[in-house]
Amino acid sequence: MKLTAILAALLGGLAALPATAQDRFPTRPIRYVVPFAAGGPSDIVARIMAPHMSATLGQPVVIDNRVGAGGVTGVDVVAKAAPDGYTLGIGSAGALAISPSLGRGTPYNPLTDLAPITLGVLVPEPLVVPGASPFRSLQDLIADARARPGALNFGSTGNGSMPHLAAEQLRAAAGLDLVQIAYNSGGQLATAILRNEVQLGFADLPVLLPNIQAGTMRALAVGTPERMPWLPDVPTFAELGLPSVDASNWHGLVAPARTQAGPLDALRRAAIAALQDPEVRQRLNQQGAVPGGNSPEAFGAFIASEGRKWGEVIRRNNISPE
């Protein structure tokens, strides 16, 4: 009986070892892949979150910038990493919901090759005109565009970019004939709007907010469900009768598919704790971003929904990469 008891105790202890090892996760630094250069929107969000995630996890969270293909290269690094919890990344709407429907698509399927962790931030995408523009409202712009088909130019950051797709939504919803002029970056696009090289454009709020606040740009509408605290007097497209103009950029955390449940849950808890931290929320708000923090299930459903929405815009307008 004593031998049986000893064997049972030993076997029980061995059975508990995997759980104990999993409880100890992490035991070494974690790589946080950012698919854009230092100083970009994704990088800023990741660097604001990383120290707080490190504090929760008890290990360094190290930023690894992997630039290329509009964010696709970095997300592919995450998709192909070992599913052990020691690699996560931050993907944008472009890499997770738009690029899979453009041209040859992406080397990964965002719905099957990645494990959603949580939405990091939502970034409003307002429609703006130059401060000296005669358009005081969206109705003014629409009336002029309808009276002069093809006379107004809108700026974008390239075929299939969020500013391009948002403008395509507006074009379809209001029945407008607008001409696209593409630029290489959000900064160049903002400068073109300021100089009236283009008469209207969408872009991430952080790029536009200083000029809106200075009065050198005028925001006419925003494609979010509710008005934004930074722009309390700017109506939503839904308020103006165009609910199908539903454009916001976003950045969300993902891990390799098949990442073990324990480590994945630890990463989720650390990310959400960071996003709920008052200092983090304040710093993200200062960037013109709405902090996220939803469940993996909700974020996965959001990625799928965004993919369907932008895929339809791409197919309807026969958009291909440049």
Side-chain angles (χ1 to χ4, degrees):
M1 291 296 292
K2 289 182 179 179
L3 180 60
T4 303
I6 291 170
L7 287 173
L10 286 172
L11 291 172
L14 290 172
L17 283 176
T20 303
Q22 197 173 68
D23 288 343
R24 288 202 305 268
F25 175 87
T27 58
R28 54 187 170 87
I30 291 169
R31 178 173 61 156
Y32 192 161
V33 177
V34 175
F36 295 96
S42 291
D43 184 74
I44 291 171
V45 173
R47 290 180 189 276
I48 290 173
M49 293 181 65
H52 294 267
M53 293 182 67
S54 295
T56 299
L57 292 165
Q59 288 287 340
V61 175
V62 182
I63 303 297
D64 181 9
N65 295 92
R66 295 295 189 98
V67 182
V72 169
T73 298
V75 172
D76 192 44
V77 168
V78 177
K80 290 179 169 55
D84 55 10
Y86 287 96
T87 298
L88 76 154
I90 185 166
S92 65
L96 296 177
I98 295 173
S99 290
S101 293
L102 277 174
R104 295 181 179 178
T106 52
Y108 52 83
N109 182 324
L111 303 181
T112 59
D113 296 331
L114 296 164
I117 297 175
T118 190
L119 177 67
V121 294
L122 186 75
V123 183
E125 198 86 359
L127 169 66
V128 297
V129 297
S133 171
F135 307 135
R136 310 295 301 183
S137 68
L138 180 63
Q139 293 87 340
D140 290 344
L141 187 154
I142 290 174
D144 187 79
R146 286 175 175 169
R148 301 187 301 136
L152 298 184
N153 299 327
F154 73 88
S156 81
T157 49
N159 274 6
S161 65
M162 183 63 73
H164 178 202
L165 299 184
E168 292 293 356
Q169 283 189 329
L170 174 61
R171 218 164 28 177
L176 307 181
D177 181 2
L178 304 171
V179 178
Q180 178 189 196
I181 298 184
Y183 297 88
N184 291 327
S185 68
Q188 289 184 6
L189 169 56
T191 299
I193 296 170
L194 287 170
R195 294 176 177 173
N196 199 34
E197 292 175 14
V198 293
Q199 288 71 59
L200 63 141
F202 290 82
D204 287 2
L205 178 61
V207 176
L208 304 175
L209 189 57
N211 288 300
I212 295 172
Q213 292 173 333
T216 51
M217 286 184 189
R218 182 180 305 120
L220 301 184
V222 64
T224 49
E226 300 175 353
R227 293 192 184 198
M228 293 289 96
W230 307 273
L231 307 171
D233 298 325
V234 178
T236 67
F237 280 100
E239 288 180 78
L240 298 173
L242 299 175
S244 61
V245 184
D246 173 26
S248 293
N249 207 347
W250 47 268
H251 306 273
L253 281 67
V254 292
R258 297 176 297 283
T259 296
Q260 300 168 27
L264 191 63
D265 185 59
L267 295 176
R268 179 192 63 80
R269 285 187 281 106
I272 291 177
L275 291 166
Q276 291 176 342
D277 182 87
E279 179 193 356
V280 170
R281 296 183 71 84
Q282 181 183 20
R283 292 180 65 188
L284 292 175
N285 272 301
Q286 289 171 347
Q287 297 293 325
V290 181
N294 57 359
S295 69
E297 295 78 15
F299 183 42
F302 178 74
I303 294 172
S305 173
E306 287 282 287
R308 290 191 297 270
K309 178 177 73 179
W310 295 124
E312 175 58 29
V313 173
I314 289 165
R315 287 186 292 273
R316 185 173 64 237
N317 294 281
N318 196 28
I319 296 170
S320 60
E322 294 170 310

